[in-house]
Amino acid sequence: VVVPAPGQTDIERAKQTIVSAFLRLEDDSLEGDTYTDEDTSSLPKKRERGKVSHNDFIVITPSSTNEQKLSDAHISRVTSSLPLHLETSTQLGLMFDPAIPALVSSLLPDSAPSSSRRFLRRWLLIPPPPDIADAMSQLVSTLKDDDYRALPSINAAPITGKVSSLIRAGQACAPVFRELLSSLNAGIQILLLDGEGDQITDGMVVAPLLKILHYDTGIEARDSLTLRNRFIETKRIIESVVNTNNVDDTEKERISHFGDVIPPAFLERNEVIWRGRVKQVALECSHDVPLAAQRLAETVALDFWGVESIKYNENGEIDLTNAKETKSPIVQDIFNNLIAIKSKPNWESIQPQTEDDAGGDRKSRYFHPRDRNGKVLRTRYTTDRVQEALSDYVETCERAQKEVEKVLTRLSWELVDNGHLPSIMQSSHLNLILSTAAHHAASANMKGWSTAVIEDDSTCAGHFEGVWPYWMDQSESIPNSFDLNGLFLLTAPNMSGKSTLMRTTAAAALLINCGLCAPLKVGSRIRRFDSIFVRGASADVPTEDKSAFGAEMGDVAALLRSCGDRSLVFVDEIGRGTSPKDGTCLAAAILERMAVSGMSGMFATHLHGILNIPYDPLAQARLRKKRMAIQDDGHGHLSWTYKLEDGVCTNSLALLTAAKFGLDPSILQRAEELSEYWNTDTIEENRLHLDENSPDVSMNAAIEILLSVVGKGVCVPIPPSYMPPPSLEGSSCVYILQIGKKFYVGETDSLSQRLSQHRSKGKDWSSLSAVAIQIEEGKSHARNIESLVIRSLAKDGFDMLSVTDGTSIRASSRHGT
């Protein structure tokens, strides 16, 4: 796969990938073939064929000629939507992500079949062309508002590709054909929904159904009458062979039955797999099964039950009243498909070995049968008559089963050879489309969802009237109404609903563009888009060696390549995975490119420096600054309203959100203290590094700064390897270390221990020099002095090893110094 490159379109990249694979395939095939000397003279040499390159291939697009015809006819081009990007489908809940509500689950009631869910997911991942989306919108609107038209049974099982393959291979069984009949019957009834003959209405259901059917199957359906006749003919062929009754109690009675003589489970096991599958008129061998079963039953009654003569009662069962066995002696072996008895009956008669020698040895007529592998079953007994009758019955059943399979195979081939398979597929998809549309319309009515007007030529992306999250009940949500007339630069506090608004708007636009209902109110007008792109917060992708920031930039690159002035885009918090400066600059550049390209949508950020960027005038004209409103009760208590309004918001209310989710109050208090000293010019930005042309900065200069900050006291110099004065132990001190040409500032209550720790780091640290000053006000004041000294040294050009504590200035220091 060719990786994206600057200036390379997706079409060029796809062409290069396909052609490269084709050329490699050709090379492999030439290298893998072996030829004789006589054969090679007529073959092209590999080096000669090697002259073929990427430049010899061109991309032919049918749209070029169509667009010319449309232009000649002065017909405006209708926008078609591209398939969704992976990130977009994930953010909208079309790909599994436990953190994002599933969109398809919100479109259908719980009772909807899984096939409808799969259909809608495919429908949304690859949005249909405009005319097909309009047909779906017409169908859903009709079903949604039609309160007098009942629908036929639309629960027929869908005919999948596997079923189609079974039919083509001649391996479809009777239950499959019954499902086909169910689908065909439903299809015939569906095509009558708009009337029959002179009673045909305006076709508000069947006409859009046929248009969607043609798109979904690729098989043309000219009119409902022709299609219905094809369904009827296919149904007639199947019904002439297949028994339409399911295997119910009536069917089981047709299985051979002789009372308790033979266990019914044994007879059912041999006959149920083929009985009732096809009509008797189509069979020959199955007529022999009742005779074979009767012979087996009579033999068993004589040899196993000890019946003297065969008699039948009024129910057609063998009479066991005079049998020598009072309870069934028969055991069934399901693995070897045989019946036998556990022991010789005590009433058996011993017969002579031969008829001519009555005085010879006498033997029992009962013997041990053999299993399917030829092994003698020592715990079972049978007779020659039973064994022969049993083998005849089993073989007759097997012949009947093979005959049934042969009949069904001929039926499959007849359907394929005579061109009835397209009718079967069309009837299945007709059921699926209507089932999906009907369930979606019912769900929309239950939830209060509506359709919207599509405006192809509007300059505004859309007017969204009362849109709310698709995963929430309307009564529990806060709707938003707005005109999406440009690119919204959205700033808002944490948890204020900006990501929810973006995902909601994108989902509503996608649903309307696909001809479905969306969670918005009547009166909405939405433009048709060629691409809908949603980019939300992400994590790293270890399997692709991508950090979170790398994955983010890859998605943005795809957005900029595939989206233009007819696209709807939603970008949430770009640039969070890098430094604030780089993130702000990148986000601003991306926002500017999106605006200049004419994209519509929303761009949400917490990088408030993006608000003051001098954008290109074309970008400025399309940017609209929006925010999520915050309500103040007048007593300093803020709450989220989840409503969109004009303006900017530079207060993210992060501490309020953190408190809501249970962060330690002490951390929140410390964060609030630190926030008082935060500004856009961070210490890191003000920090200057020494270079060869910088003036020398000495420890004396550092001491002067330390004294100026403290305002009183004496600085105690501590040369390398010296220990500090014992008088400073136990007192709060601020110290400055010089390690080579770098400086470090710290505070401690145990100076000797702290210096020992620093010197143990080795290298330049072992020969550091230090200066310390005692802070009488205590440790808290010493920390503030430490922060002020760090900032002062960094500002005056000292090369600081660390400025981490340069912002740790408490409010008390401003009053005390």
Side-chain angles (χ1 to χ4, degrees):
V1 178
V2 179
V3 297
Q8 186 181 41
T9 65
D10 286 345
I11 293 179
E12 293 171 345
R13 190 160 62 92
K15 172 197 166 186
Q16 189 174 352
T17 300
I18 295 171
V19 172
S20 297
F22 173 75
L23 294 179
R24 284 196 302 271
L25 184 63
E26 289 296 302
D27 290 341
D28 293 342
S29 95
L30 285 177
E31 291 174 357
D33 292 337
T34 58
Y35 305 97
T36 63
D37 293 338
E38 292 80 4
D39 295 334
T40 55
S41 60
S42 62
L43 291 176
K45 300 296 183 182
K46 180 180 176 182
R47 56 178 175 272
E48 294 177 355
R49 194 204 56 79
K51 295 179 181 178
V52 179
S53 66
H54 290 269
N55 296 329
D56 296 310
F57 294 84
I58 61 173
V59 178
I60 301 176
T61 57
S63 60
S64 58
T65 56
N66 292 338
E67 289 176 8
Q68 182 64 36
K69 292 179 181 179
L70 291 174
S71 177
D72 294 341
H74 302 288
I75 301 176
S76 61
R77 188 178 67 178
V78 179
T79 304
S80 296
S81 298
L82 296 173
L84 297 188
H85 190 271
L86 175 61
E87 173 66 14
T88 303
S89 56
T90 302
Q91 290 296 326
L92 294 183
L94 292 173
M95 304 295 287
F96 175 73
D97 188 328
I100 297 176
L103 178 57
V104 173
S105 299
S106 302
L107 303 179
L108 299 169
D110 295 338
S111 59
S114 59
S115 56
S116 293
R117 301 180 189 278
R118 292 192 297 269
F119 175 85
L120 275 186
R121 183 173 179 271
R122 172 169 53 88
W123 186 265
L124 294 172
L125 286 174
I126 307 176
D131 59 330
I132 305 301
D134 291 342
M136 178 62 81
S137 178
Q138 177 184 342
L139 176 62
V140 171
S141 298
T142 301
L143 296 174
K144 185 174 182 293
D145 300 331
D146 193 348
D147 55 1
Y148 65 88
R149 190 195 314 257
L151 298 178
S153 175
I154 51 178
N155 295 321
I159 308 303
T160 62
K162 182 178 180 180
V163 172
S164 177
S165 299
L166 289 174
I167 297 174
R168 287 191 176 95
Q171 298 177 359
C173 58
V176 170
F177 285 109
R178 292 196 185 104
E179 290 181 358
L180 299 185
L181 287 174
S182 176
S183 177
L184 288 167
N185 283 326
I188 293 170
Q189 297 300 319
I190 289 172
L191 294 176
L192 295 175
L193 285 175
D194 288 332
E196 183 178 7
D198 297 335
Q199 299 179 353
I200 295 179
T201 61
D202 53 0
M204 296 298 290
V205 173
V206 176
L209 261 178
L210 295 183
K211 183 176 288 189
I212 300 171
L213 179 65
H214 183 194
Y215 165 76
D216 196 42
T217 62
I219 306 173
E220 185 177 2
R222 296 182 179 178
D223 58 81
S224 59
L225 180 59
T226 302
L227 186 61
R228 182 167 175 265
N229 289 335
R230 290 170 53 194
F231 288 176
I232 294 174
E233 175 62 17
T234 305
K235 174 186 174 185
R236 183 192 64 78
I237 294 174
I238 297 176
E239 285 182 338
S240 66
V241 175
V242 177
N243 193 329
T244 56
N245 295 325
N246 292 322
V247 183
D248 51 13
D249 294 337
T250 303
E251 184 63 35
K252 290 182 179 180
E253 290 177 2
R254 295 179 54 190
I255 295 175
S256 302
H257 181 68
F258 301 94
D260 296 332
V261 175
I262 298 178
F266 174 77
L267 298 172
E268 182 177 342
R269 182 178 184 275
N270 284 275
E271 298 183 26
V272 74
I273 55 178
W274 56 269
R275 272 200 184 277
R277 298 306 193 250
V278 300
K279 294 186 175 180
Q280 290 293 321
V281 295
L283 299 174
E284 296 179 0
C285 295
S286 64
H287 299 308
D288 299 332
V289 173
L291 295 176
Q294 181 179 358
R295 178 170 172 246
L296 174 62
E298 292 176 352
T299 305
V300 168
L302 293 171
D303 290 358
F304 289 175
W305 285 88
V307 174
E308 299 260 338
S309 61
I310 301 298
K311 296 180 181 179
Y312 290 88
N313 58 26
E314 61 275 8
N315 296 325
E317 301 174 355
I318 296 178
D319 188 1
L320 298 176
T321 305
N322 298 321
K324 297 177 181 178
E325 296 287 348
T326 57
K327 63 179 182 178
S328 177
I330 301 171
V331 291
Q332 176 185 356
D333 187 340
I334 61 175
F335 296 104
N336 296 298
N337 195 24
L338 60 82
I339 54 176
I341 54 179
K342 293 183 178 180
S343 61
K344 296 178 183 180
N346 53 15
W347 43 261
E348 74 157 325
S349 60
I350 304 299
Q351 299 177 343
Q353 186 175 4
T354 64
E355 295 181 358
D356 297 335
D357 188 6
D361 294 336
R362 304 173 67 84
K363 69 172 185 177
S364 171
R365 57 177 172 165
Y366 293 89
F367 62 90
H368 299 296
R370 294 181 181 271
D371 64 10
R372 55 185 175 179
N373 298 318
K375 183 180 178 181
V376 176
L377 299 175
R378 298 291 180 182
T379 59
R380 299 290 182 265
Y381 291 88
T382 186
T383 66
D384 287 332
R385 289 192 303 182
V386 172
Q387 181 120 330
E388 181 182 353
L390 178 63
S391 299
D392 182 55
Y393 169 73
V394 171
E395 290 173 1
T396 305
C397 288
E398 291 176 351
R399 289 196 301 271
Q401 179 183 352
K402 291 179 180 178
E403 185 181 17
V404 169
E405 293 173 353
K406 187 182 297 184
V407 170
L408 293 176
T409 298
R410 287 200 299 266
L411 174 60
S412 297
W413 290 345
E414 181 181 359
L415 293 175
V416 174
D417 294 341
N418 295 334
H420 293 288
L421 195 55
S423 299
I424 293 172
M425 302 306 297
Q426 285 178 305
S427 68
S428 174
H429 282 264
L430 198 65
N431 278 274
L432 177 59
I433 295 167
L434 183 59
S435 171
T436 303
H439 283 105
H440 175 62
S443 177
N445 279 334
M446 181 176 61
K447 296 181 177 181
W449 290 21
S450 305
T451 57
V453 177
I454 289 288
E455 297 180 334
D456 286 307
D457 299 326
S458 175
T459 57
C460 177
H463 170 71
F464 293 82
E465 183 67 31
V467 65
W468 72 90
Y470 62 83
W471 61 91
M472 296 181 64
D473 187 86
Q474 183 179 5
S475 61
E476 299 175 353
S477 61
I478 299 176
N480 272 284
S481 301
F482 54 90
D483 289 323
L484 192 55
N485 54 350
L487 188 59
F488 287 3
L489 176 52
L490 183 59
T491 52
N494 296 107
M495 293 290 294
S496 62
K498 63 181 186 305
S499 298
T500 296
L501 176 64
M502 296 169 69
R503 182 175 286 112
T504 298
T505 306
L510 175 63
L511 293 172
I512 296 301
N513 271 253
C514 290
L516 303 174
C517 297
L520 39 71
K521 296 181 180 178
V522 177
S524 299
R525 302 181 307 276
I526 299 176
R527 191 175 69 187
R528 210 184 298 274
F529 302 102
D530 62 2
S531 179
I532 298 177
F533 202 107
V534 182
R535 211 293 159 190
S538 65
D540 59 341
V541 189
T543 56
E544 299 180 13
D545 294 330
K546 290 182 181 178
S547 65
F549 181 71
E552 183 179 86
M553 291 299 103
D555 290 336
V556 171
L559 181 154
L560 297 177
R561 287 196 307 269
S562 59
C563 298
D565 60 349
R566 302 289 294 182
S567 302
L568 185 65
V569 296
F570 298 87
V571 179
D572 193 8
E573 299 188 31
I574 285 292
R576 297 187 306 172
T578 185
S579 66
K581 178 181 178 181
D582 291 342
T584 300
C585 295
L586 266 174
I590 294 169
L591 175 63
E592 184 178 62
R593 173 65 64 85
M594 291 168 56
V596 170
S597 299
M599 301 180 196
S600 301
M602 300 181 185
F603 190 101
T605 184
H606 284 292
L607 300 172
H608 300 137
I610 201 174
L611 298 169
N612 302 317
I613 297 292
Y615 294 105
D616 182 280
L618 293 177
Q620 289 280 13
R622 287 192 51 78
L623 289 179
R624 307 286 185 269
K625 293 181 179 179
K626 300 286 184 175
R627 68 184 180 188
M628 303 303 291
I630 299 299
Q631 185 176 2
D632 190 343
D633 62 358
H635 301 285
H637 182 265
L638 303 178
S639 61
W640 298 282
T641 66
Y642 307 107
K643 300 289 288 186
L644 182 70
E645 65 178 12
D646 294 332
V648 297
C649 176
T650 57
N651 186 358
S652 294
L653 298 181
L655 300 184
L656 186 60
T657 303
K660 181 178 180 180
F661 286 91
L663 195 63
D664 193 306
S666 63
I667 296 178
L668 297 175
Q669 180 180 358
R670 179 60 175 164
E672 188 172 1
E673 294 171 355
L674 298 178
S675 67
E676 297 179 6
Y677 301 95
W678 176 261
N679 54 51
T680 56
D681 297 326
T682 63
I683 296 174
E684 199 65 41
E685 293 170 340
N686 290 328
R687 172 181 167 185
L688 299 176
H689 293 278
L690 294 175
D691 56 30
E692 295 178 355
N693 299 321
S694 300
D696 185 28
V697 183
S698 65
M699 177 62 89
N700 292 333
I703 293 174
E704 292 180 3
I705 292 175
L706 177 59
L707 288 173
S708 66
V709 171
V710 177
K712 60 181 179 179
V714 178
C715 288
V716 179
I718 307 172
S721 72
Y722 278 55
M723 63 175 294
S727 60
L728 295 181
E729 286 301 307
S731 302
S732 297
C733 296
V734 174
Y735 60 89
I736 300 176
L737 307 180
Q738 184 175 10
I739 306 98
K741 292 185 177 182
K742 297 181 181 293
F743 291 82
Y744 178 89
V745 179
E747 63 83 21
T748 181
D749 286 344
S750 179
L751 186 59
S752 61
Q753 182 180 0
R754 185 63 58 85
L755 286 179
S756 177
Q757 292 172 349
H758 286 310
R759 287 167 174 167
S760 64
K761 297 178 182 179
K763 295 185 179 180
D764 293 340
W765 289 87
S766 61
S767 59
L768 63 82
S769 58
V771 61
I773 188 172
Q774 186 178 11
I775 306 300
E776 297 177 355
E777 290 81 357
K779 189 173 185 65
S780 177
H781 192 67
R783 287 179 176 175
N784 292 327
I785 296 295
E786 174 194 18
S787 298
L788 291 173
V789 171
I790 291 174
R791 297 182 66 175
S792 298
L793 292 176
K795 196 171 184 179
D796 284 4
F798 285 79
D799 192 2
M800 307 298 296
L801 280 171
S802 173
V803 294
T804 303
D805 295 325
T807 57
S808 301
I809 305 171
R810 294 175 176 258
S812 60
S813 67
R814 293 189 297 174
H815 302 290
T817 58

